[in-house]
Structures are given as structure tokens and as C-alpha cells.
Amino acid sequence: MRSNWLTPFTTTTGWDAIVDDQIGHPGDITVTKRAWSAFYGTDLDLQLRRRSVTQLVLAGIATSSGVESTARA
């Protein structure tokens, strides 16, 4: 068993860079999540409420972790 399993992970510089094809449009909102749920520690809930968003489509690579945690929040 790893002794550091609760410590924050470290990343390589640039791992979160958005590729040119995915940059988006002026006025788009970017939310950087640092936990399993996209709502924990971010202003995502506030941004959605400000825009009266009532439905979301969630997708991801590991649906049994990050996507599911966001859906349950």
C-alpha cells in the first residue's frame, strides 16, 4: 500500500493546455476542477445558476469516478 495516497497529485507543466481546435469562443467560461466533482471548490454552480441552466450533459473518460461524482453533487 502506498503511504502517500492522500497527498495531492503533481502534474507536468502544460498538461492542462487546451489545444487550438478546442479553444472555444469569446465569452466561454472555463472551470478548472481539482477534485472528483466539478462542483467542489469551483464556481460552476454559480455560473450555471446565473445563466438559468437546468440541464447538463456529462461525459468523460472515467464515468465511474469524476463524471459520476459531478452527477451526484
Side-chain angles (χ1 to χ4, degrees), residues 9-32:
F9 63 89
T10 58
T11 60
T12 304
T13 302
W15 72 270
D16 60 346
I18 299 174
V19 296
D20 291 341
D21 291 342
Q22 301 296 320
I23 288 180
H25 306 282
D28 283 356
I29 296 167
T30 301
V31 175
T32 303

